[in-house]
Amino acid sequence: MIGKTISHYRVLEKLGGGGMGVVYKAKDTKLGRLVALKFLPDEVSQDEQALERFQREARAASALNHPHICTIYDIEQHDHSPFIAMELLEGQTLKQRIAGQPLPLELLLDLSIQIADALDAAHTGGIIHRDIKPANIFVTKRGQAKLLDFGVAKLAPQARPGKTTDATVTGTTEDPRLTSPGTSIGTVAYMSPEQARGEELDARTDLFSLGVVLYEMATGREAFHGETPAVIFEAILNRAPTPVRQLNPRLPAELERILSKTLEKDREMRCQTASELRADLKRARRDTDSARGATVSVPALPAADGEVVRRTASQWWGKPLVVGVVAFALVGAFVGGWWVGKGGERTLPQYQQLTFRRGTIRMARFASDGQTIVYGATWEGNSLELYATRPESPESRLLGFQNTEILAMSSLGEMAVSLNRRLSGAYIGIGTLARVPLAGGGPREILDKVQWADWAPDGRNLVVVRDIAGRSRLEFPIGNVLYESGNWISHPRVSPQGGQIAFLEHPLQGDDGGTVEIVELDGSKRTLSTRSISTQGLAWYPDGKEVWYTASKAGNARALYAVDLSGRERLVARMPGTLTLHDIRKDGVVLVTRESWRRELKGLPPGVSKERDLSWLDYSYPADLSTDGKTLLFDEEGEAGGSTYGVYFRNTDGSPAVRLGDGLANALSPDGKWAVSSPLSSPAQFLLLPTGPGEPRQLTNDEINHSWARWLPDGTGIVFSGNEPGRGVRFYVQALEGRKPRAISPEGINALNFAVSPDGEFVAGIGPDQKGYQYPVGGGEPRPILGLAAGEVPITWNENGRAIYVYRPGEVPARVYLLNPRTGRRRFWRQFMPSDRAGVNHIGPIRLTPDGQGYVYGYQRVLSDLYLVEGLK
């Protein structure tokens, strides 16, 4: 089998096998992607029942499109042996991950929520899995749960007409030997009581089975076990498992309550829906995180046998302590002072606020003396400047550098700064790297177009990040390339010993989700953390054994995490609001900002004289505006958007928004009937979401990481930006009928900002050399866009196709010009700026109608306070 081409799949290696299938890794020669091929074993391939189960798996799973359900691409036959082509997953099954040991609480809760979310999608689609067990749940290397094996799935009773025992899964009649009451289907140890009795099943059977899985995740042991199936059946029907906290005392009481509810033998008393279970688990995760942040050591108490006993504050008071920043500090001062006076031990973190003005702090660093803090900020809507402060002073002093950012502080008292700093992307700044003595003196310029930098421990060499030919490059020392990627990378920090560099890698342009990576000086790289939906801020702990970083698993409320060099992650601190880690002092004192993030929308529909606030929830990002200016496509990427984000559609008259689905919004079709969206997956793909009646359609399914899309004017396809594995970003044309996309530009183009001409012949975008070009959609040599200033990008073409609206993203205020790309002539068109400028540090994207009569623009508002934090462990 290895090396053979079956249909259009070239078999590469065998991955494994079992009683119901043998799985191979293969290459799809049509789409160029890696897939898994699952074949029936030869000994059962002629068995009618096994064949029906095998086909049922393909039909049931393919009917569901969800990030936590393994994607089915195709079902075919080879030499009379059926096989399924499915998503290739890298990682291990949950059974292998448990391996007889309880999972860390945070991982347990995260995976449980993901599995419950997958079941909610299946049940909403009318499908009951009926074989939920750890072996049918896969955990990817990035910590993402994937539900597998729908081989015994059936349509839920409430989704079927009538009360017959036959059922259909996506239109195919089930074999009554697999689905009829009186037949036990599934794996014995994970069956529900009603499943063990052979009764008619509904979705609640999966919830019981998931409860059994959660029990095993929490304890490392099966809930129901015995020497024979009969003994296990008896336990499922009549016995309660050992309480989980007897086996794992570290578990919170709330989790034990949730487990008890899922394991109710009477299904009327059990969790009734997967969404209910998901909500319970999310509350447990929130309360657990809050309790961790509020743990306080209290005095030692003598036990009856003389043994010393310690309790946490949450054990003393019987519930988690959930407090805001001010209350946190007050409780810390009172509890800490009182217990220290009694001879106890104080471990509650102490937060000291250092800044008090209204605006945004960009970056902050400790100076070599450990007491001076240097930071860059835009206070009260003014330009970026450098400041210095000390813990004993509420005031900050100007250092005299405008439009300058602090990047790093050396052990020798020298600053690495970014001169003439400007935003080149949603989260990326660019400027000239320079060295400046903190004690005074002018800057000595080193290197242009640098995004990030950090000093080595000796204070002599610098690591830098910059873009070269559209690829993000990590250099240490300058000029020596350690790593480069088609993704964007940020926040490089050299380890205290100088032998390793940690950084953040982000797969999508314009999105800050990503992972913590580490690269050795020989260029070898590995991933340390699971992927976060938002991650910014990173520093080494002083002993070099952990990397600390701020990230969020859902929304923008980043918390402080630590990951050791073997990849074990833990939560360090969480508080209301968004945290960003800036630096860690040699004694472990942490420098963070607590931030309030919002993305807001302003718009002017045609025929209206006053701008309207078109913001919807907390982080509204404009994707597209219809040519008549009456319809806006946008997404919600903040706390309200959750871990999946949300795609929305609304009229610019201010009427309520309509949620179309999950993911990132991209583009609205010319007839307004379809929206291109991108679910949060890796590699990112495109879906078509109907704005009215209809079903979502998968538009792409390949190895390309899809970034941004624009429709062709005739509605027959899209132009999009994306990158293949190991390659830079370029433009592609994709037809709606699903032909293989065609590249029309070199690698290294700007992924986010481009526009298709009204005749559909050209794409105006930014090339690898940061200059503007018109790329022919049909192929051929690009034309330069004359007169485009450095940092400017296209918004859209005007209605006659002779000029392009351009602006500089991130510029505050944003100035829009109308530019003739052939002559370079330009004229100022309009300026955008909200009336309340405080904390507005980025304006864009801007969406215009071709005639300029209507517009919508987004802007980001970040209000920051800088804190010193002592006592974090």
Side-chain angles (χ1 to χ4, degrees), residues 106 285-286 288-293 546 548-549 551 553 557-563 568-575 579 873:
E106 185 174 7
R285 182 173 64 182
R286 178 196 63 195
T288 299
D289 289 346
S290 299
R292 285 177 181 171
E546 287 185 321
W548 288 25
Y549 64 104
K553 305 302 181 183
R558 292 191 296 269
L560 181 59
Y561 291 86
V563 59
R568 286 190 295 266
E569 297 178 270
R570 63 185 181 90
L571 177 69
V572 177
R574 187 189 299 277
M575 60 192 298
L579 292 181
K873 301 291 185 182

PDB file of all heavy atoms in Angstrom, residues 106 285-286 288-293 546 548-549 551 553 557-563 568-575 579 873:
ATOM      1  N   GLU A 106      -6.804  22.838  34.266  1.00  0.00           N
ATOM      2  CA  GLU A 106      -7.093  23.778  33.188  1.00  0.00           C
ATOM      3  C   GLU A 106      -7.263  23.046  31.855  1.00  0.00           C
ATOM      4  O   GLU A 106      -8.175  23.343  31.082  1.00  0.00           O
ATOM      5  CB  GLU A 106      -5.982  24.821  33.084  1.00  0.00           C
ATOM      6  CG  GLU A 106      -6.296  25.906  32.060  1.00  0.00           C
ATOM      7  CD  GLU A 106      -5.274  27.012  32.062  1.00  0.00           C
ATOM      8  OE1 GLU A 106      -4.245  26.875  32.755  1.00  0.00           O
ATOM      9  OE2 GLU A 106      -5.493  28.006  31.357  1.00  0.00           O
ATOM     10  N   ARG A 285     -14.703  26.878  34.946  1.00  0.00           N
ATOM     11  CA  ARG A 285     -13.382  27.388  34.567  1.00  0.00           C
ATOM     12  C   ARG A 285     -13.193  28.819  35.042  1.00  0.00           C
ATOM     13  O   ARG A 285     -12.144  29.166  35.585  1.00  0.00           O
ATOM     14  CB  ARG A 285     -13.199  27.316  33.054  1.00  0.00           C
ATOM     15  CG  ARG A 285     -11.816  27.793  32.591  1.00  0.00           C
ATOM     16  CD  ARG A 285     -11.586  27.564  31.116  1.00  0.00           C
ATOM     17  NE  ARG A 285     -12.498  28.348  30.306  1.00  0.00           N
ATOM     18  CZ  ARG A 285     -12.532  28.298  28.967  1.00  0.00           C
ATOM     19  NH1 ARG A 285     -11.730  27.480  28.327  1.00  0.00           N
ATOM     20  NH2 ARG A 285     -13.376  29.046  28.275  1.00  0.00           N
ATOM     21  N   ARG A 286     -14.218  29.640  34.871  1.00  0.00           N
ATOM     22  CA  ARG A 286     -14.115  31.028  35.319  1.00  0.00           C
ATOM     23  C   ARG A 286     -13.904  31.106  36.827  1.00  0.00           C
ATOM     24  O   ARG A 286     -13.021  31.809  37.325  1.00  0.00           O
ATOM     25  CB  ARG A 286     -15.391  31.787  34.940  1.00  0.00           C
ATOM     26  CG  ARG A 286     -15.410  33.237  35.399  1.00  0.00           C
ATOM     27  CD  ARG A 286     -16.833  33.786  35.329  1.00  0.00           C
ATOM     28  NE  ARG A 286     -17.723  33.059  36.230  1.00  0.00           N
ATOM     29  CZ  ARG A 286     -19.052  33.125  36.179  1.00  0.00           C
ATOM     30  NH1 ARG A 286     -19.641  33.866  35.254  1.00  0.00           N
ATOM     31  NH2 ARG A 286     -19.794  32.457  37.043  1.00  0.00           N
ATOM     32  N   THR A 288     -12.788  28.793  38.845  1.00  0.00           N
ATOM     33  CA  THR A 288     -11.509  28.203  39.231  1.00  0.00           C
ATOM     34  C   THR A 288     -10.365  29.182  38.994  1.00  0.00           C
ATOM     35  O   THR A 288      -9.484  29.343  39.841  1.00  0.00           O
ATOM     36  CB  THR A 288     -11.262  26.913  38.427  1.00  0.00           C
ATOM     37  OG1 THR A 288     -12.317  25.990  38.721  1.00  0.00           O
ATOM     38  CG2 THR A 288      -9.931  26.282  38.798  1.00  0.00           C
ATOM     39  N   ASP A 289     -10.394  29.864  37.845  1.00  0.00           N
ATOM     40  CA  ASP A 289      -9.347  30.840  37.559  1.00  0.00           C
ATOM     41  C   ASP A 289      -9.375  31.973  38.582  1.00  0.00           C
ATOM     42  O   ASP A 289      -8.338  32.442  39.051  1.00  0.00           O
ATOM     43  CB  ASP A 289      -9.534  31.424  36.155  1.00  0.00           C
ATOM     44  CG  ASP A 289      -9.216  30.398  35.073  1.00  0.00           C
ATOM     45  OD1 ASP A 289      -8.617  29.365  35.404  1.00  0.00           O
ATOM     46  OD2 ASP A 289      -9.589  30.648  33.911  1.00  0.00           O
ATOM     47  N   SER A 290     -10.587  32.420  38.942  1.00  0.00           N
ATOM     48  CA  SER A 290     -10.701  33.492  39.925  1.00  0.00           C
ATOM     49  C   SER A 290     -10.167  33.042  41.279  1.00  0.00           C
ATOM     50  O   SER A 290      -9.488  33.776  41.980  1.00  0.00           O
ATOM     51  CB  SER A 290     -12.164  33.931  40.059  1.00  0.00           C
ATOM     52  OG  SER A 290     -12.653  34.412  38.838  1.00  0.00           O
ATOM     53  N   ALA A 291     -10.495  31.803  41.656  1.00  0.00           N
ATOM     54  CA  ALA A 291     -10.047  31.297  42.954  1.00  0.00           C
ATOM     55  C   ALA A 291      -8.532  31.181  42.999  1.00  0.00           C
ATOM     56  O   ALA A 291      -7.907  31.466  44.013  1.00  0.00           O
ATOM     57  CB  ALA A 291     -10.675  29.924  43.220  1.00  0.00           C
ATOM     58  N   ARG A 292      -7.908  30.786  41.868  1.00  0.00           N
ATOM     59  CA  ARG A 292      -6.453  30.693  41.847  1.00  0.00           C
ATOM     60  C   ARG A 292      -5.828  32.047  42.082  1.00  0.00           C
ATOM     61  O   ARG A 292      -4.846  32.179  42.793  1.00  0.00           O
ATOM     62  CB  ARG A 292      -5.980  30.166  40.492  1.00  0.00           C
ATOM     63  CG  ARG A 292      -6.192  28.686  40.301  1.00  0.00           C
ATOM     64  CD  ARG A 292      -5.762  28.301  38.906  1.00  0.00           C
ATOM     65  NE  ARG A 292      -5.970  26.899  38.647  1.00  0.00           N
ATOM     66  CZ  ARG A 292      -5.836  26.356  37.458  1.00  0.00           C
ATOM     67  NH1 ARG A 292      -5.485  27.088  36.433  1.00  0.00           N
ATOM     68  NH2 ARG A 292      -6.029  25.065  37.292  1.00  0.00           N
ATOM     69  N   GLY A 293      -6.411  33.064  41.459  1.00  0.00           N
ATOM     70  CA  GLY A 293      -5.853  34.399  41.616  1.00  0.00           C
ATOM     71  C   GLY A 293      -6.022  34.929  43.018  1.00  0.00           C
ATOM     72  O   GLY A 293      -5.366  35.881  43.413  1.00  0.00           O
ATOM     73  N   GLU A 546      11.210  28.960  32.847  1.00  0.00           N
ATOM     74  CA  GLU A 546       9.872  29.167  32.293  1.00  0.00           C
ATOM     75  C   GLU A 546       9.859  30.417  31.437  1.00  0.00           C
ATOM     76  O   GLU A 546      10.631  31.363  31.662  1.00  0.00           O
ATOM     77  CB  GLU A 546       8.827  29.321  33.398  1.00  0.00           C
ATOM     78  CG  GLU A 546       8.480  28.052  34.140  1.00  0.00           C
ATOM     79  CD  GLU A 546       7.338  28.273  35.130  1.00  0.00           C
ATOM     80  OE1 GLU A 546       7.309  29.342  35.778  1.00  0.00           O
ATOM     81  OE2 GLU A 546       6.489  27.373  35.253  1.00  0.00           O
ATOM     82  N   TRP A 548       7.078  33.297  30.571  1.00  0.00           N
ATOM     83  CA  TRP A 548       5.779  33.834  30.968  1.00  0.00           C
ATOM     84  C   TRP A 548       5.223  34.657  29.816  1.00  0.00           C
ATOM     85  O   TRP A 548       5.974  35.349  29.109  1.00  0.00           O
ATOM     86  CB  TRP A 548       5.912  34.691  32.228  1.00  0.00           C
ATOM     87  CG  TRP A 548       6.168  33.898  33.489  1.00  0.00           C
ATOM     88  CD1 TRP A 548       6.734  32.660  33.570  1.00  0.00           C
ATOM     89  CD2 TRP A 548       5.869  34.287  34.822  1.00  0.00           C
ATOM     90  NE1 TRP A 548       6.808  32.251  34.880  1.00  0.00           N
ATOM     91  CE2 TRP A 548       6.282  33.214  35.674  1.00  0.00           C
ATOM     92  CE3 TRP A 548       5.299  35.406  35.402  1.00  0.00           C
ATOM     93  CZ2 TRP A 548       6.134  33.275  37.058  1.00  0.00           C
ATOM     94  CZ3 TRP A 548       5.156  35.465  36.777  1.00  0.00           C
ATOM     95  CH2 TRP A 548       5.560  34.412  37.597  1.00  0.00           C
ATOM     96  N   TYR A 549       3.915  34.574  29.630  1.00  0.00           N
ATOM     97  CA  TYR A 549       3.297  35.299  28.524  1.00  0.00           C
ATOM     98  C   TYR A 549       1.841  35.590  28.872  1.00  0.00           C
ATOM     99  O   TYR A 549       1.260  34.959  29.755  1.00  0.00           O
ATOM    100  CB  TYR A 549       3.389  34.504  27.222  1.00  0.00           C
ATOM    101  CG  TYR A 549       2.625  33.200  27.217  1.00  0.00           C
ATOM    102  CD1 TYR A 549       1.415  33.074  26.542  1.00  0.00           C
ATOM    103  CD2 TYR A 549       3.112  32.078  27.893  1.00  0.00           C
ATOM    104  CE1 TYR A 549       0.709  31.884  26.537  1.00  0.00           C
ATOM    105  CE2 TYR A 549       2.413  30.883  27.887  1.00  0.00           C
ATOM    106  CZ  TYR A 549       1.215  30.798  27.214  1.00  0.00           C
ATOM    107  OH  TYR A 549       0.514  29.616  27.223  1.00  0.00           O
ATOM    108  N   ALA A 551      -2.057  35.752  27.469  1.00  0.00           N
ATOM    109  CA  ALA A 551      -2.829  35.165  26.376  1.00  0.00           C
ATOM    110  C   ALA A 551      -4.257  34.938  26.827  1.00  0.00           C
ATOM    111  O   ALA A 551      -4.567  34.981  28.022  1.00  0.00           O
ATOM    112  CB  ALA A 551      -2.207  33.841  25.933  1.00  0.00           C
ATOM    113  N   LYS A 553      -7.724  32.338  25.889  1.00  0.00           N
ATOM    114  CA  LYS A 553      -8.277  31.199  25.172  1.00  0.00           C
ATOM    115  C   LYS A 553      -9.601  31.557  24.506  1.00  0.00           C
ATOM    116  O   LYS A 553     -10.090  30.821  23.656  1.00  0.00           O
ATOM    117  CB  LYS A 553      -8.486  30.015  26.126  1.00  0.00           C
ATOM    118  CG  LYS A 553      -7.232  29.613  26.889  1.00  0.00           C
ATOM    119  CD  LYS A 553      -6.084  29.235  25.971  1.00  0.00           C
ATOM    120  CE  LYS A 553      -4.851  28.824  26.763  1.00  0.00           C
ATOM    121  NZ  LYS A 553      -3.703  28.531  25.890  1.00  0.00           N
ATOM    122  N   ALA A 557      -9.698  39.042  26.944  1.00  0.00           N
ATOM    123  CA  ALA A 557      -9.302  39.159  28.348  1.00  0.00           C
ATOM    124  C   ALA A 557      -8.086  38.274  28.612  1.00  0.00           C
ATOM    125  O   ALA A 557      -8.190  37.176  29.149  1.00  0.00           O
ATOM    126  CB  ALA A 557     -10.462  38.779  29.260  1.00  0.00           C
ATOM    127  N   ARG A 558      -6.924  38.765  28.217  1.00  0.00           N
ATOM    128  CA  ARG A 558      -5.705  37.983  28.381  1.00  0.00           C
ATOM    129  C   ARG A 558      -5.344  37.836  29.859  1.00  0.00           C
ATOM    130  O   ARG A 558      -5.472  38.782  30.634  1.00  0.00           O
ATOM    131  CB  ARG A 558      -4.544  38.630  27.622  1.00  0.00           C
ATOM    132  CG  ARG A 558      -4.691  38.590  26.113  1.00  0.00           C
ATOM    133  CD  ARG A 558      -3.400  38.986  25.421  1.00  0.00           C
ATOM    134  NE  ARG A 558      -3.051  40.359  25.700  1.00  0.00           N
ATOM    135  CZ  ARG A 558      -3.428  41.392  24.947  1.00  0.00           C
ATOM    136  NH1 ARG A 558      -4.180  41.193  23.876  1.00  0.00           N
ATOM    137  NH2 ARG A 558      -3.060  42.622  25.258  1.00  0.00           N
ATOM    138  N   ALA A 559      -4.872  36.641  30.210  1.00  0.00           N
ATOM    139  CA  ALA A 559      -4.376  36.342  31.544  1.00  0.00           C
ATOM    140  C   ALA A 559      -2.890  36.028  31.447  1.00  0.00           C
ATOM    141  O   ALA A 559      -2.340  35.878  30.358  1.00  0.00           O
ATOM    142  CB  ALA A 559      -5.145  35.173  32.152  1.00  0.00           C
ATOM    143  N   LEU A 560      -2.234  35.929  32.602  1.00  0.00           N
ATOM    144  CA  LEU A 560      -0.801  35.652  32.640  1.00  0.00           C
ATOM    145  C   LEU A 560      -0.573  34.154  32.811  1.00  0.00           C
ATOM    146  O   LEU A 560      -1.064  33.544  33.769  1.00  0.00           O
ATOM    147  CB  LEU A 560      -0.152  36.425  33.799  1.00  0.00           C
ATOM    148  CG  LEU A 560       1.360  36.259  33.977  1.00  0.00           C
ATOM    149  CD1 LEU A 560       2.117  36.702  32.730  1.00  0.00           C
ATOM    150  CD2 LEU A 560       1.834  37.060  35.198  1.00  0.00           C
ATOM    151  N   TYR A 561       0.168  33.567  31.875  1.00  0.00           N
ATOM    152  CA  TYR A 561       0.469  32.139  31.878  1.00  0.00           C
ATOM    153  C   TYR A 561       1.980  31.932  31.949  1.00  0.00           C
ATOM    154  O   TYR A 561       2.767  32.831  31.614  1.00  0.00           O
ATOM    155  CB  TYR A 561      -0.059  31.454  30.607  1.00  0.00           C
ATOM    156  CG  TYR A 561      -1.556  31.365  30.522  1.00  0.00           C
ATOM    157  CD1 TYR A 561      -2.304  32.419  29.995  1.00  0.00           C
ATOM    158  CD2 TYR A 561      -2.235  30.234  30.957  1.00  0.00           C
ATOM    159  CE1 TYR A 561      -3.688  32.341  29.908  1.00  0.00           C
ATOM    160  CE2 TYR A 561      -3.612  30.146  30.862  1.00  0.00           C
ATOM    161  CZ  TYR A 561      -4.332  31.201  30.347  1.00  0.00           C
ATOM    162  OH  TYR A 561      -5.703  31.124  30.265  1.00  0.00           O
ATOM    163  N   ALA A 562       2.364  30.717  32.336  1.00  0.00           N
ATOM    164  CA  ALA A 562       3.759  30.295  32.288  1.00  0.00           C
ATOM    165  C   ALA A 562       3.827  28.953  31.581  1.00  0.00           C
ATOM    166  O   ALA A 562       2.934  28.122  31.713  1.00  0.00           O
ATOM    167  CB  ALA A 562       4.338  30.181  33.703  1.00  0.00           C
ATOM    168  N   VAL A 563       4.899  28.746  30.821  1.00  0.00           N
ATOM    169  CA  VAL A 563       5.132  27.457  30.177  1.00  0.00           C
ATOM    170  C   VAL A 563       6.599  27.106  30.378  1.00  0.00           C
ATOM    171  O   VAL A 563       7.490  27.950  30.197  1.00  0.00           O
ATOM    172  CB  VAL A 563       4.761  27.501  28.670  1.00  0.00           C
ATOM    173  CG1 VAL A 563       5.564  28.551  27.919  1.00  0.00           C
ATOM    174  CG2 VAL A 563       4.930  26.127  28.025  1.00  0.00           C
ATOM    175  N   ARG A 568       4.869  22.292  29.543  1.00  0.00           N
ATOM    176  CA  ARG A 568       3.811  22.280  30.560  1.00  0.00           C
ATOM    177  C   ARG A 568       3.389  23.715  30.845  1.00  0.00           C
ATOM    178  O   ARG A 568       4.211  24.561  31.206  1.00  0.00           O
ATOM    179  CB  ARG A 568       4.291  21.597  31.841  1.00  0.00           C
ATOM    180  CG  ARG A 568       4.397  20.083  31.729  1.00  0.00           C
ATOM    181  CD  ARG A 568       4.628  19.447  33.092  1.00  0.00           C
ATOM    182  NE  ARG A 568       5.911  19.845  33.636  1.00  0.00           N
ATOM    183  CZ  ARG A 568       7.026  19.140  33.494  1.00  0.00           C
ATOM    184  NH1 ARG A 568       7.014  18.010  32.804  1.00  0.00           N
ATOM    185  NH2 ARG A 568       8.169  19.550  34.022  1.00  0.00           N
ATOM    186  N   GLU A 569       2.091  23.971  30.703  1.00  0.00           N
ATOM    187  CA  GLU A 569       1.546  25.315  30.887  1.00  0.00           C
ATOM    188  C   GLU A 569       0.788  25.405  32.205  1.00  0.00           C
ATOM    189  O   GLU A 569       0.212  24.425  32.672  1.00  0.00           O
ATOM    190  CB  GLU A 569       0.594  25.667  29.740  1.00  0.00           C
ATOM    191  CG  GLU A 569       1.258  25.722  28.375  1.00  0.00           C
ATOM    192  CD  GLU A 569       0.262  26.015  27.274  1.00  0.00           C
ATOM    193  OE1 GLU A 569      -0.299  25.056  26.719  1.00  0.00           O
ATOM    194  OE2 GLU A 569       0.046  27.196  26.970  1.00  0.00           O
ATOM    195  N   ARG A 570       0.755  26.608  32.758  1.00  0.00           N
ATOM    196  CA  ARG A 570      -0.034  26.851  33.967  1.00  0.00           C
ATOM    197  C   ARG A 570      -0.478  28.304  33.989  1.00  0.00           C
ATOM    198  O   ARG A 570       0.162  29.188  33.406  1.00  0.00           O
ATOM    199  CB  ARG A 570       0.771  26.530  35.232  1.00  0.00           C
ATOM    200  CG  ARG A 570       1.996  27.401  35.436  1.00  0.00           C
ATOM    201  CD  ARG A 570       2.812  26.951  36.639  1.00  0.00           C
ATOM    202  NE  ARG A 570       3.976  27.806  36.840  1.00  0.00           N
ATOM    203  CZ  ARG A 570       3.979  28.904  37.593  1.00  0.00           C
ATOM    204  NH1 ARG A 570       2.858  29.285  38.215  1.00  0.00           N
ATOM    205  NH2 ARG A 570       5.067  29.635  37.725  1.00  0.00           N
ATOM    206  N   LEU A 571      -1.598  28.530  34.650  1.00  0.00           N
ATOM    207  CA  LEU A 571      -2.114  29.883  34.831  1.00  0.00           C
ATOM    208  C   LEU A 571      -1.416  30.522  36.023  1.00  0.00           C
ATOM    209  O   LEU A 571      -1.348  29.935  37.105  1.00  0.00           O
ATOM    210  CB  LEU A 571      -3.624  29.836  35.064  1.00  0.00           C
ATOM    211  CG  LEU A 571      -4.308  31.174  35.342  1.00  0.00           C
ATOM    212  CD1 LEU A 571      -4.309  32.038  34.096  1.00  0.00           C
ATOM    213  CD2 LEU A 571      -5.734  30.946  35.825  1.00  0.00           C
ATOM    214  N   VAL A 572      -0.893  31.731  35.839  1.00  0.00           N
ATOM    215  CA  VAL A 572      -0.221  32.457  36.916  1.00  0.00           C
ATOM    216  C   VAL A 572      -1.155  33.469  37.560  1.00  0.00           C
ATOM    217  O   VAL A 572      -1.267  33.545  38.782  1.00  0.00           O
ATOM    218  CB  VAL A 572       1.050  33.165  36.400  1.00  0.00           C
ATOM    219  CG1 VAL A 572       1.712  33.985  37.508  1.00  0.00           C
ATOM    220  CG2 VAL A 572       2.031  32.154  35.835  1.00  0.00           C
ATOM    221  N   ALA A 573      -1.863  34.254  36.758  1.00  0.00           N
ATOM    222  CA  ALA A 573      -2.737  35.298  37.316  1.00  0.00           C
ATOM    223  C   ALA A 573      -3.790  35.676  36.300  1.00  0.00           C
ATOM    224  O   ALA A 573      -3.544  35.702  35.089  1.00  0.00           O
ATOM    225  CB  ALA A 573      -1.932  36.533  37.710  1.00  0.00           C
ATOM    226  N   ARG A 574      -4.977  35.961  36.808  1.00  0.00           N
ATOM    227  CA  ARG A 574      -6.074  36.469  35.990  1.00  0.00           C
ATOM    228  C   ARG A 574      -6.781  37.554  36.788  1.00  0.00           C
ATOM    229  O   ARG A 574      -6.922  37.449  38.006  1.00  0.00           O
ATOM    230  CB  ARG A 574      -7.051  35.347  35.644  1.00  0.00           C
ATOM    231  CG  ARG A 574      -8.136  35.761  34.659  1.00  0.00           C
ATOM    232  CD  ARG A 574      -9.218  34.693  34.518  1.00  0.00           C
ATOM    233  NE  ARG A 574      -8.715  33.434  34.022  1.00  0.00           N
ATOM    234  CZ  ARG A 574      -8.521  33.167  32.737  1.00  0.00           C
ATOM    235  NH1 ARG A 574      -8.756  34.077  31.825  1.00  0.00           N
ATOM    236  NH2 ARG A 574      -8.079  31.981  32.365  1.00  0.00           N
ATOM    237  N   MET A 575      -7.216  38.594  36.105  1.00  0.00           N
ATOM    238  CA  MET A 575      -7.957  39.659  36.768  1.00  0.00           C
ATOM    239  C   MET A 575      -8.921  40.271  35.767  1.00  0.00           C
ATOM    240  O   MET A 575      -8.791  40.031  34.565  1.00  0.00           O
ATOM    241  CB  MET A 575      -7.000  40.726  37.326  1.00  0.00           C
ATOM    242  CG  MET A 575      -6.148  41.397  36.284  1.00  0.00           C
ATOM    243  SD  MET A 575      -4.800  42.399  36.975  1.00  0.00           S
ATOM    244  CE  MET A 575      -5.708  43.609  37.904  1.00  0.00           C
ATOM    245  N   LEU A 579      -4.709  41.702  30.440  1.00  0.00           N
ATOM    246  CA  LEU A 579      -3.339  41.885  30.910  1.00  0.00           C
ATOM    247  C   LEU A 579      -2.367  41.782  29.741  1.00  0.00           C
ATOM    248  O   LEU A 579      -2.557  40.966  28.840  1.00  0.00           O
ATOM    249  CB  LEU A 579      -2.967  40.820  31.943  1.00  0.00           C
ATOM    250  CG  LEU A 579      -3.669  40.860  33.303  1.00  0.00           C
ATOM    251  CD1 LEU A 579      -3.144  39.740  34.189  1.00  0.00           C
ATOM    252  CD2 LEU A 579      -3.460  42.204  33.982  1.00  0.00           C
ATOM    253  N   LYS A 873       3.872  33.711  41.529  1.00  0.00           N
ATOM    254  CA  LYS A 873       4.693  32.497  41.501  1.00  0.00           C
ATOM    255  C   LYS A 873       4.302  31.639  40.311  1.00  0.00           C
ATOM    256  O   LYS A 873       3.157  31.562  39.944  1.00  0.00           O
ATOM    257  CB  LYS A 873       4.517  31.690  42.797  1.00  0.00           C
ATOM    258  CG  LYS A 873       4.892  32.478  44.060  1.00  0.00           C
ATOM    259  CD  LYS A 873       6.386  32.742  44.129  1.00  0.00           C
ATOM    260  CE  LYS A 873       6.756  33.415  45.452  1.00  0.00           C
ATOM    261  NZ  LYS A 873       8.187  33.729  45.531  1.00  0.00           N
TER     262      LYS A 873
END
